Amino acid sequence: MPTSAIRLVRFTGRLLLALAAVTTLVVVFLALIALTDGAGSGLAAWLTTLGVGAVLAMWLGRRRTWPARLVPFLPVVVAAALTASVCIPTVPTARRYPPALPFVTTQHWSLATGSRVAVYHYPPANPGTRHPIPLVYLNGGPVRGISVLDHRFLQLLARQGYDVYAYEQAGGGRSDLLPMSQYTISRPVRDLAAFVDRLNKGKVDILGFSSGGAVLTRALADPSVAARLHRAIIAEPGPMDGPTARIAGHKGRKSARGIAPAMTGPRSTHVPRYAVAFGLMRLGLLTPDTGLIGQAEGDNAFTAADLGSDTASAYCARDAHRIPAEDTAQNFSFSPAASLRIQQTVKDSPSIASKLRRSRTPAMLMIAECSSQVRQWETTVLANDPAIQRTQYMPGVGHHMWNGLDDNNDRAVAVITAFLQGKPAPLPNSPTRDEIPTFLRDHK
């Protein structure tokens, strides 16, 4: 074999060994991030990895002449440079709240629970049709700001004569953060009771959407909270408790997930620090209270594009190429760590079915045709809440039922207002409790 070929083989071999060494050190670093829960913004794992790599490099170079002893350190230097980016914040580490909305005043209320929440009020736009009972909106998330799309829907309800209030749950949007340990599924239920007390207008009607629907369901199962509620609308609820969360059921008709164009815009997950943090948190290898990134930094970093196909899953497949912009970059707010923690407390919570069976608050359940929620999350509420007076299966819409497309908002308003006013439903009462098995078989 020619000398040049031999040299090329040797160089290739050394290069592959160096790449293997770099990869090994990066894997060790990630493992230490998980083992230390990201202590010290990842510096504990980084320094340990650097120390281990340096010791091994010295051992490998112990019999070499002085210049050659430096060669084993090259993979250590490369790995140190690559992993250092995981330890360096690229966004402010103090909470950066969204700016004020131009079309509604943001109030801040301190609740008896200790939460300080951002509140929005849309008074009746038509005093001649004013309804005496306030309507309170619980948005989805969990721990997500109220989108501009939802604000427009609330304005539409106000134009129907409703006195509409909405607030972003603690940690979401313009509301103050909580210590991570206080993000539990019971906290928003207690905050709801405290909000109604702070409102001081007697009983209220409640519209709870998605995770807000799960909060409302748990409120109905708590007599002390339910006593403050006049009527309840549970729209596309998340799982109400641990046993429900563990149901491996099917979802609604095909959504736009996997069909819609990819979301555009900056992604925090394109930055190594946040790709590692959010990825390991989602895998359960980092706790929501990780030392790698603080709650405020994670909130500041996370963008709408990071939601990926989750947004598309809230729309029907037929709408894949016309999904509306739900929010603005300035208003978008989501707390991934707090959201994961609340979801975990739902999974860990015992059944509330027996308590829900004692509910007496008149309620309505709204289910979307192309729902991305597990059907049994919805039908379990229907099966266990005897006070659900009607179910409205909404054709032609996905999980985000009021989305500004076609007449979807008007249809949702018609269903909601008919129930609140005790008028005949615009859609058939379907499914009923007896129809649940047939519904689960036919609507998938």
Side-chain angles (χ1 to χ4, degrees), residues 339-416:
S339 182
L340 285 172
R341 191 175 196 287
I342 288 180
Q343 291 176 56
Q344 188 59 51
T345 66
V346 173
K347 295 175 184 177
D348 294 340
S349 67
S351 172
I352 64 167
S354 60
K355 296 178 180 178
L356 188 59
R357 294 187 193 111
R358 295 194 288 269
S359 174
R360 296 296 178 265
T361 305
M364 176 177 72
L365 178 65
M366 297 176 70
I367 301 176
E369 177 185 3
C370 310
S371 176
S372 56
Q373 306 289 77
V374 173
R375 287 297 193 197
Q376 285 87 340
W377 293 352
E378 303 158 338
T379 58
T380 297
V381 178
L382 176 61
N384 288 286
D385 186 350
I388 291 181
Q389 298 178 346
R390 64 178 73 167
T391 303
Q392 300 285 268
Y393 176 76
M394 306 291 291
V397 294
H399 178 60
H400 205 156
M401 293 182 284
W402 39 85
N403 51 40
L405 297 175
D406 303 326
D407 63 344
N408 293 340
N409 282 13
D410 292 332
R411 291 194 294 128
V413 165
V415 164
I416 291 168

Side-chain angles (χ1 to χ4, degrees), residues 59-366:
W59 184 80
L60 291 172
R62 69 191 186 282
R63 294 180 180 176
R64 301 183 182 186
T65 58
W66 172 242
R69 289 182 183 180
L70 298 177
V71 174
F73 284 90
L74 182 59
V76 179
V77 173
V78 173
L82 290 174
T83 54
S85 61
V86 177
C87 307
I88 302 171
T90 59
V91 300
T93 56
R95 183 68 176 109
R96 187 174 53 192
Y97 293 95
L101 291 165
F103 50 79
V104 64
T105 300
T106 304
Q107 305 175 53
H108 284 92
W109 290 7
S110 295
L111 305 180
T113 55
S115 298
R116 186 170 181 267
V117 297
V119 181
Y120 310 93
H121 180 210
Y122 293 103
N126 185 355
T129 59
R130 179 168 185 156
H131 301 282
I133 298 174
L135 174 61
V136 176
Y137 177 59
L138 297 178
N139 68 302
V143 202
R144 180 175 177 176
I146 299 175
S147 69
V148 170
L149 200 61
D150 280 6
H151 275 289
R152 291 178 185 145
F153 183 67
L154 299 179
Q155 291 171 326
L156 186 57
L157 287 168
R159 287 198 288 272
Q160 303 298 312
Y162 289 93
D163 194 17
V164 181
Y165 288 84
Y167 66 94
E168 289 162 324
Q169 63 181 284
R174 296 164 184 81
S175 295
D176 287 4
L177 305 182
L178 294 174
M180 192 58 67
S181 61
Q182 294 185 27
Y183 289 108
T184 65
I185 189 56
S186 62
R187 180 59 174 258
V189 176
R190 290 186 285 114
D191 280 349
L192 172 59
F195 179 84
V196 176
D197 291 344
R198 173 70 171 74
L199 186 59
N200 196 29
K201 292 192 175 184
K203 288 189 175 184
V204 300
D205 294 326
I206 303 283
L207 168 60
F209 167 64
S210 193
S211 63
V215 171
L216 178 53
T217 301
R218 295 182 71 94
L220 294 172
D222 185 332
S224 65
V225 183
R228 298 166 167 86
L229 312 182
H230 177 252
R231 284 182 176 244
I233 300 170
I234 307 166
E236 282 285 287
M240 67 183 191
D241 54 24
T244 309
R246 290 190 286 273
I247 294 175
H250 54 257
K251 301 180 181 180
R253 301 196 194 282
K254 187 171 180 60
S255 75
R257 190 184 190 103
I259 304 173
M263 290 188 69
T264 59
R267 293 174 183 256
S268 69
T269 47
H270 288 170
V271 179
R273 178 173 176 81
Y274 306 113
V276 169
F278 297 145
L280 293 182
M281 271 193 277
R282 196 170 184 86
L283 292 172
L285 298 176
L286 285 180
T287 67
D289 202 17
T290 175
L292 182 57
I293 61 170
Q295 178 189 171
E297 183 188 349
D299 293 5
N300 293 339
F302 203 88
T303 68
D306 287 321
L307 293 173
S309 57
D310 283 357
T311 298
S313 69
Y315 293 83
C316 290
R318 66 177 73 94
D319 296 324
H321 295 281
R322 60 170 193 157
I323 293 175
E326 294 191 342
D327 215 343
T328 64
Q330 294 75 25
N331 185 64
F332 177 81
S333 171
F334 181 69
S335 179
S339 182
L340 285 172
R341 191 175 196 287
I342 288 180
Q343 291 176 56
Q344 188 59 51
T345 66
V346 173
K347 295 175 184 177
D348 294 340
S349 67
S351 172
I352 64 167
S354 60
K355 296 178 180 178
L356 188 59
R357 294 187 193 111
R358 295 194 288 269
S359 174
R360 296 296 178 265
T361 305
M364 176 177 72
L365 178 65
M366 297 176 70

